[in-house]
Amino acid sequence: MDRRTATIQDVARVAGVSTATVSRTLSKPAVVTKATRDAVLSAVAETGYRVNTTASNLRRQRTGSVIVLLPNIANPFFAQILAGLSSVLTPAEYGMLIADTQSGPDADARLAHYLASGQADGLVLLDGTLSAEVLASPARPPIVMACEWMGSTLPSVRVENARGGALAVGHLAQLGHRRIGHVTGPPANVLTQTRLEGFLSTLRELGLPQNPDWVLEGDFTMDSGAAAARAWLGLTDRPTALFLSSDEMATGFIGEVQRAGLSVPGDVSVVGFDNIEIAQHLAPGLTTIRQPRTQIGVRAAELLLTMIESNSRDAPSEIIEVELIRRGSAGPPPD
């Protein structure tokens, strides 16, 4: 090819297909045969053709962007979800804009701005505390909730949170524990509520005692896990094992217990929830409930792109299974 800018007609001529087939291959590669796809992509490489995404977006009345709203951008829990989202959105030529819902005084006002500004073709929400009334705006773009959810009005991709609580209690009971406590997340959070439901229902099923003094309040942070450990240390009647509603809290709890001169799991067993990266590097390694966070991001992005392409704001929600990861922080109860 000469040094002039390659056109879609050049690609079609080299590939031996129509310009419509080239366009279809580049915008929706899954709908053409492998032979056609390979021929078009080879022709693109040979000609040096570059898609004018700005012009394409203008023609389709798209921005080419997706906004991701999460409640704490510093929380390592979100890293793999964002990686999963990016692995789908980037090849589809969508930019990902990330905003922290907790970075200012009025999260709902910022959400309303994002919905009305036309800055994005869709939103992924990882914060279940935002206003359902704001999200009900008739002018909103497609929205998918990931991890958290609000009722059944918005499509979501989430895990079996109650099942995770049940797996944690069941594992501790199999180890011989009968006195099992729990550290919750924030009181109004749907994850807090469903994990607590799984915890309590399994205690009932197994005939284990339910002591309200053994349910301690947290907020998913390491600091709240450390505070829960201090509360546990102050109990005269302590549970021998605790299920904490996040790995960050479990990390803070273990550190505080060890600073007090006690052993995990020798004096108390600990099970977390999430399986964040640090869990396997703690001493002892943290037994936890694994959320497949990359898969959550991938499925949320795929669901959102389907909604964008079909100009729809509705789609079926998806629930993904959780898994118990056994490590060294849970063992038999002390003698």
Side-chain angles (χ1 to χ4, degrees):
M1 296 295 296
D2 58 34
R3 297 182 65 85
R4 68 183 177 84
T5 301
T7 67
I8 194 171
Q9 288 78 15
D10 295 325
V11 176
R13 177 173 53 79
V14 172
V17 298
S18 68
T19 56
T21 297
V22 173
S23 178
R24 186 163 55 249
T25 302
L26 296 178
S27 62
K28 297 181 179 179
V31 304
V32 301
T33 65
K34 183 178 185 302
T36 298
R37 186 164 60 249
D38 290 346
V40 170
L41 294 179
S42 175
V44 167
E46 180 179 337
T47 61
Y49 176 67
R50 295 291 182 269
V51 178
N52 187 336
T53 55
T54 301
S56 175
N57 288 334
L58 286 172
R59 285 194 301 272
R60 296 184 300 160
Q61 295 185 321
R62 300 269 170 82
T63 68
S65 297
V66 167
I67 293 176
V68 181
L69 297 178
L70 48 81
N72 179 3
I73 203 167
N75 189 334
F77 169 79
F78 297 115
Q80 286 189 13
I81 297 177
L82 293 174
L85 289 167
S86 180
S87 72
V88 173
L89 295 175
T90 299
E93 298 184 335
Y94 278 87
M96 190 169 69
L97 310 176
I98 302 171
D100 191 330
T101 59
Q102 305 301 318
S103 62
D106 194 339
D108 286 340
R110 290 196 305 280
L111 174 60
H113 169 72
Y114 291 133
L115 294 176
S117 65
Q119 295 181 47
D121 298 318
L123 275 77
V124 178
L125 300 186
L126 289 90
D127 185 348
T129 66
L130 299 172
S131 170
E133 293 181 4
V134 176
L135 291 172
S137 166
R140 68 171 174 81
I143 297 174
V144 172
M145 298 207 70
C147 293
E148 301 190 25
W149 65 99
M150 301 175 188
S152 58
T153 57
L154 290 175
S156 65
V157 178
R158 59 187 191 265
V159 300
E160 296 178 302
N161 287 278
R163 172 65 176 159
L167 286 173
V169 173
H171 177 59
L172 292 169
Q174 287 180 346
L175 290 171
H177 293 275
R178 292 190 53 79
R179 300 151 57 83
I180 302 173
H182 179 47
V183 181
T184 72
N189 188 285
V190 67
L191 303 180
T192 297
Q193 296 162 3
T194 51
R195 292 171 192 177
L196 177 61
E197 289 169 6
F199 167 78
L200 293 174
S201 65
T202 307
L203 289 181
R204 288 193 295 269
E205 290 172 8
L206 297 176
L208 298 178
Q210 298 183 48
N211 187 333
D213 291 338
W214 298 347
V215 177
L216 307 172
E217 187 173 313
D219 62 11
F220 293 147
T221 65
M222 288 189 194
D223 285 345
S224 71
R230 291 190 292 271
W232 174 81
L233 288 165
L235 293 173
T236 56
D237 181 26
R238 296 176 188 162
T240 60
L242 287 105
F243 160 52
L244 292 95
S245 199
S246 80
D247 284 353
E248 283 212 55
M249 291 196 301
T251 300
F253 186 96
I254 290 173
E256 193 70 15
V257 166
Q258 291 173 335
R259 275 189 291 274
L262 299 182
S263 166
V264 175
D267 294 301
V268 60
S269 286
V270 174
V271 176
F273 198 114
D274 290 333
N275 197 37
I276 61 175
E277 284 72 12
I278 196 174
Q280 63 182 316
H281 300 294
L282 295 175
L286 179 62
T287 294
T288 188
I289 305 300
R290 175 181 175 267
Q291 294 199 66
R293 289 173 290 141
T294 301
Q295 184 183 353
I296 291 170
V298 167
R299 292 298 301 129
E302 291 173 344
L303 185 59
L304 184 64
L305 290 184
T306 297
M307 295 166 66
I308 292 172
E309 293 299 324
S310 62
N311 293 314
S312 172
R313 295 191 298 179
D314 296 314
S317 294
E318 182 171 337
I319 298 178
I320 300 174
E321 293 182 0
V322 293
E323 176 188 5
L324 174 69
I325 304 296
R326 295 174 175 86
R327 297 193 180 101
S329 67
D335 296 333

